[in-house]
Amino acid sequence: NAGVTQTPKFQVLKTGQSMTLQCAQDMNHNSMYWYRQDPGMGLRLIYYSASEGTTDKGEVPNGYNVSRLNKREFSLRLESAAPSQTSVYFCASSEGYYSNQPQHFGDGTRLSIL
Amino acid sequence: GIQVEQSPPDLILQEGANSTLRCNFSDSVNNLQWFHQNPWGQLINLFYIPSGTKQNGRLSATTVATERYSLLYISSSQTTDSGVYFCAVERSRGSTLGRLYFGRGTQLTVWP
């Protein structure tokens, strides 16, 4: 099983460019999440989708948009990239938002904005 | 939100040593998870442990929810245990129900 798959693994952008990070899970999970990890920090939640057809803001949503394309896929878009968005981005999924079940993470996307 | 504090921030061990990592949190939780981030950046879920004790090989974890802390024990450490260990919790009440909050992690280095 692939679990949670993120693409791309690395990306370099110039300030002002746009980009979409892709995430897909094959575990038939209902809930999906996007986090960012900055040096010396734990993960912070950007957006989440408790179930197909719903999305909601997390701790740090400014500058991002998301789309829950179907049950498997959850994408994160940067409309106008800024250097402050240089980070490692992780996608995760879980059985259900209120299910108190473990979250499973993808391998991350390392994004640098120049 | 909820405050999650992990200690120590850094830990250096010789192979074979035992260690205890601590996670304190500031509110009632119904979900607590321990993760290991390996040197390649991958996050592995070690334990889902909102209360009680669990063991998996050389690793075990205990959460005392009433006293708002959790402990991760690593016995007979190996170089492959190196990496960052994160604790993440979910509040059991309020508007942030369902949301995981991460601590800053404990950086573990195991030398051969």
Side-chain angles (χ1 to χ4, degrees):
Chain A
N1 284 340
V4 180
T5 302
Q6 292 184 233
T7 55
K9 294 191 184 307
F10 304 93
Q11 185 70 48
V12 179
L13 294 178
K14 294 182 180 179
T15 297
Q17 286 186 313
S18 62
M19 166 153 199
T20 299
L21 279 59
Q22 306 286 354
C23 175
Q25 52 91 9
D26 62 2
M27 296 175 281
N28 200 34
H29 284 168
N30 290 302
S31 301
M32 298 184 73
Y33 314 81
W34 277 106
Y35 294 88
R36 62 178 287 173
Q37 183 180 26
D38 300 306
M41 304 277 289
L43 279 69
R44 292 182 292 169
L45 184 65
I46 305 171
Y47 270 93
Y48 63 95
S49 172
S51 61
E52 187 179 354
T54 70
T55 61
D56 224 326
K57 296 178 181 179
E59 293 178 75
V60 289
N62 291 345
Y64 305 95
N65 286 303
V66 290
S67 296
R68 183 75 182 265
L69 304 170
N70 47 55
K71 190 172 185 179
R72 291 186 63 248
E73 298 172 289
F74 188 37
S75 63
L76 178 72
R77 183 161 178 84
L78 286 70
E79 290 291 352
S80 179
S84 61
Q85 293 177 306
T86 293
S87 190
V88 181
Y89 291 84
F90 286 95
C91 177
S93 70
S94 68
E95 189 173 303
Y97 190 61
Y98 299 111
S99 67
N100 297 334
Q101 292 297 312
Q103 289 190 17
H104 299 271
F105 284 78
D107 288 345
T109 295
R110 295 183 180 276
L111 183 61
S112 293
I113 313 231
L114 306 177
Chain B
I2 182 171
Q3 303 303 312
V4 183
E5 295 181 359
Q6 293 186 242
S7 60
D10 297 280
L11 189 57
I12 300 174
L13 300 173
Q14 193 125 31
E15 208 167 23
N18 302 328
S19 61
T20 301
L21 283 59
R22 186 176 181 101
C23 172
N24 292 333
F25 41 93
S26 62
D27 203 346
S28 301
V29 301
N30 61 0
N31 184 349
L32 187 146
Q33 300 180 34
W34 282 98
F35 295 88
H36 175 220
Q37 187 169 39
N38 64 25
W40 296 270
Q42 296 172 316
L43 275 163
I44 308 298
N45 194 304
L46 297 174
F47 292 103
Y48 166 73
I49 184 166
S51 64
T53 298
K54 288 187 178 179
Q55 181 152 9
N56 184 2
R58 296 180 297 103
L59 274 59
S60 64
T62 295
T63 297
V64 184
T66 53
E67 297 187 21
R68 300 184 182 173
Y69 74 89
S70 182
L71 303 173
L72 178 68
Y73 305 95
I74 304 174
S75 64
S76 304
S77 57
Q78 300 176 358
T79 56
T80 52
D81 294 331
S82 295
V84 183
Y85 289 80
F86 289 104
C87 169
V89 304
E90 173 196 338
R91 291 178 72 191
S92 58
R93 56 190 174 192
S95 60
T96 59
L97 196 67
R99 189 179 301 178
L100 273 184
Y101 289 88
F102 282 75
R104 290 187 174 226
T106 292
Q107 173 78 57
L108 175 64
T109 303
V110 181
W111 294 98

